[in-house]
């Protein structure tokens, strides 16, 4: 492990603080909280499955600008368990049928949709119509048309919209963005991004059901590879071609198993990405004119790890940090103070445009599909 001397430590600390701007557990003495409002936003989680229970609810216990105020579940047996565990009052508990009554509940400011992918649009739109700010898990929805419907519903009802892209406020991701923007190793020329895991032997899970998931590995892990390709390149792709590989067709009956895609970006960077439900992969490689940087792991819950061609470890002086706390605090602060929304709906829609282009290319035998995204979804930090 790299020895961090005082100067390196300070440089890295400054970078981390600047990049991660909202690490809620950083002591106030670091001066991050100027302009902070005292109100904590009440968040209601919709869908109490693995991610809501395993990551989001525990992360909300550590948040500074928001807290777990309510739940929406289709499983009555979960109600008492969650009410007891997180001190949630009965009046803040909803099911999928009476969910729209949430409009009358002032304790809920934000609805966070953590359901199977094809249910995101319906619940985001119902939340917006109820006058609640919305966070939707990734992928934002299963088609560009659904993304548009969510964006429009939020606009029409004057509520804010964010996507659950926890990497966008991760300090390691922000260090990559800094290297790309400040160019200490020159311009980026090539990127490579991989995101995949081996799906266990459960053919009945919703992730393998096209109607519920919208697609396979690409919809699930592929959006991470698309995201890191873009922050690794520092620009949106202008063309993409893709191939699909299936080695377990009996298991992946309805959805894609593994996909590779090649991209050219608007700044002439070229790159490729890989996503899979049948291989473990978790890496971003960025090649600059005079060196390289790599994050590995790159897309998991953290802490991430990385290094550069200079032999430096990309490492921050945090024993443990919570991506989801930072992500939700960042969105809450956006709602409360108008600070930057690091994962807006437009970013989620852009990624689904790319997902649709990848599926189109595969359908057309790997044909190169042009993309006209401009700066869509690029958030200047
Ligand atoms: P899960 O299967 O563990 O939970 C899904 C929840 O939806 C369950 O509570 C289930 O009861 C409910 N549900 C309602 N209707 C359902 C139906 N018809 N079929 C199946 N379940 C139904 O899934 P998860 O891993 O919690 O994923 C939920 C969402 O969160 C997905 O969109 C996924 O992509 C996203 N996710 C994001 C991350 C991340 O790191 N940002 C990680 C995991 C999952």
């Amino acid at each position: 492990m790299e020895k961090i001397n005082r100067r390196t430590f300070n440089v890295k600390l400054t970078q981390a603080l600047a990049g991660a701007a909202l690490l809620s557990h950083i002591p106030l003495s670091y001066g991050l909280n100027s302009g902070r409002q005292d109100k904590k936003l009440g968040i209601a989680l919709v869908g109490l499955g693995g991610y809501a229970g395993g990551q989001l609810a525990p992360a909300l216990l550590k948040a500074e600008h928001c807290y777990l105020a309510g739940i929406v579940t289709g499983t009555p047996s979960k109600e008492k368990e969650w009410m007891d565990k997180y001190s949630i009052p009965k009046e803040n508990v909803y099911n999928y049928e009476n969910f729209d009554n949430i409009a009358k509940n002032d304790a809920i400011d934000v609805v966070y949709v953590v359901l199977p992918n094809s249910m995101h649009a319906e619940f985001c739109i119902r939340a917006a119509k109820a006058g609640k700010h919305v966070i939707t898990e990734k992928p934002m929805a299963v088609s560009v048309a659904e993304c548009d419907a969510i964006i429009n519903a939020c606009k029409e009802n004057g509520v804010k919209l964010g996507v659950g892209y926890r990497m966008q406020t991760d300090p390691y991701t922000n260090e990559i963005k800094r290297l790309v923007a400040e160019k200490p190793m020159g311009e980026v020329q090539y990127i490579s991004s991989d995101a995949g895991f081996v799906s266990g032997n459960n053919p009945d899970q919703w992730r393998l059901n096209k109607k519920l998931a919208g697609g396979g590995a690409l919809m699930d892990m592929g959006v991470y590879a698309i995201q890191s390709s873009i922050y690794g390149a520092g620009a949106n792709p202008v063309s993409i071609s893709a191939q699909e590989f299936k080695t377990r067709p009996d298991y992946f009956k309805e959805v894609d198993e593994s996909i590779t895609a090649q991209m050219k970006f608007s700044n002439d960077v070229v790159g490729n990405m890989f996503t899979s439900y049948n291989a473990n992969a978790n890496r971003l490689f960025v090649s600059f004119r005079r060196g390289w940087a790599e994050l590995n792991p790159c897309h998991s819950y953290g802490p991430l790890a990385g290094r550069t061609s200079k032999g430096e470890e990309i490492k921050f002086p945090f024993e443990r940090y919570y991506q989801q706390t930072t992500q939700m605090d960042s969105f809450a602060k956006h709602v409360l103070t108008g600070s930057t929304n690091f994962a807006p709906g437009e970013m989620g829609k852009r990624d689904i445009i790319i997902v649709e282009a990848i599926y189109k290319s595969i359908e057309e035998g790997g044909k190169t599909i042009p993309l006209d995204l401009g700066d869509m979804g690029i958030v200047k930090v």
Side-chain angles (χ1 to χ4, degrees):
M1 189 187 289
E2 179 205 23
K3 264 196 183 160
I4 299 185
N5 62 32
R6 181 173 292 277
R7 193 189 159 275
T8 319
F9 179 93
N10 285 339
V11 166
K12 291 193 180 296
L13 180 63
T14 309
Q15 290 161 0
L17 293 178
L22 264 170
L23 286 171
S24 60
H25 53 293
I26 293 171
L28 297 186
S29 55
Y30 285 122
L32 274 181
N33 292 287
S34 53
R36 163 173 88 86
Q37 298 190 7
D38 285 324
K39 178 176 161 51
K40 275 191 171 194
L41 296 184
I43 294 194
L45 294 175
V46 188
L48 308 180
Y51 192 57
Q55 300 297 327
L56 296 177
L60 278 166
L61 293 176
K62 299 181 179 65
E64 190 181 357
H65 301 294
C66 49
Y67 73 103
L68 181 56
I71 49 173
V72 185
T73 177
T75 313
S77 60
K78 289 183 186 166
E79 292 182 4
K80 184 164 171 10
E81 180 198 327
W82 277 67
M83 283 164 62
D84 290 349
K85 192 165 179 188
Y86 294 103
S87 307
I88 296 168
K90 179 73 185 145
E91 63 268 23
N92 294 358
V93 177
Y94 297 87
N95 57 42
Y96 301 146
E97 287 72 41
N98 67 18
F99 168 63
D100 308 279
N101 293 339
I102 209 165
K104 298 182 216 129
N105 190 336
D106 289 341
I108 310 295
D109 302 288
V110 179
V111 165
Y112 193 152
V113 179
V114 205
L115 290 163
N117 308 340
S118 70
M119 298 173 77
H120 292 182
E122 178 194 335
F123 281 84
C124 288
I125 292 166
R126 286 170 71 181
K129 285 185 176 165
K132 304 301 175 186
H133 303 292
V134 178
I135 308 176
T136 172
E137 252 319 314
K138 46 61 54 181
M140 179 172 171
V142 296
S143 69
V144 175
E146 283 189 357
C147 294
D148 277 331
I150 296 173
I151 290 170
N152 290 339
C154 289
K155 269 193 195 139
E156 281 161 16
N157 291 284
V159 298
K160 309 270 194 189
L161 170 63
V163 183
Y165 282 144
R166 59 190 161 73
M167 310 313 310
Q168 289 290 344
T169 41
D170 180 279
Y172 290 79
T173 300
N174 283 326
E175 174 61 359
I176 293 293
K177 288 181 194 164
R178 187 192 70 79
L179 293 171
V180 171
E182 294 181 9
K183 307 183 178 56
M185 291 182 272
E187 303 272 350
V188 181
Q189 291 175 299
Y190 166 72
I191 59 97
S192 171
S193 176
D194 307 326
F197 67 89
V198 179
S199 174
N201 211 11
N202 174 11
D204 299 326
Q205 60 181 302
W206 66 261
R207 282 182 166 81
L208 303 186
N209 175 327
K210 177 106 195 276
K211 203 159 168 275
L212 283 168
L218 182 62
M219 277 287 179
D220 188 354
M221 300 307 290
V223 293
Y224 286 110
I226 289 169
Q227 284 257 304
S228 55
S229 295
I230 291 171
Y231 53 70
N236 281 333
V238 290
S239 66
I240 193 155
S241 56
Q243 305 77 35
E244 181 186 351
F245 304 90
K246 227 170 230 187
T247 61
R248 295 163 70 192
D250 290 345
Y251 186 65
F252 298 104
K253 283 196 179 94
E254 297 183 15
V255 299
D256 44 284
E257 174 190 311
S258 296
I259 285 176
T260 54
Q262 305 76 44
M263 291 162 281
K264 183 167 182 276
F265 294 84
S266 61
N267 54 359
D268 283 345
V269 171
V270 293
N272 60 58
M273 56 163 267
F274 169 73
T275 188
S276 181
Y277 268 162
N278 204 40
N280 296 315
N282 192 356
R283 173 178 173 264
L284 170 65
F285 178 80
V286 184
S287 175
F288 300 91
R289 195 167 285 276
R290 297 187 301 276
W292 51 262
E294 179 184 60
L295 291 184
N296 186 354
C298 169
H299 304 113
S300 38
Y301 298 149
L304 306 182
R307 61 200 176 110
T308 73
S309 51
K310 292 181 182 160
E312 285 175 354
E313 202 176 341
I314 299 173
K315 185 164 176 57
F316 296 99
F318 308 126
E319 265 179 35
R320 183 76 179 90
Y321 65 99
Y322 294 87
Q323 283 175 344
Q324 290 84 359
T325 306
T326 312
Q327 169 216 323
M328 289 185 281
D329 260 342
S330 174
F331 183 76
K333 201 172 172 209
H334 166 63
V335 171
L336 287 166
T337 71
S339 61
T340 303
N341 182 355
F342 289 95
E346 198 183 49
M347 181 186 275
K349 175 183 165 183
R350 173 201 65 193
D351 297 347
I352 299 303
I353 292 175
I354 296 169
V355 163
E356 288 191 352
I358 289 174
Y359 283 138
K360 184 165 192 270
S361 173
I362 290 166
E363 252 176 55
E364 298 187 11
K367 191 175 152 191
T368 299
I369 308 294
L371 289 161
D372 185 14
L373 298 168
D375 278 343
M376 182 178 184
I378 302 267
V379 175
K380 302 268 183 243
V381 183

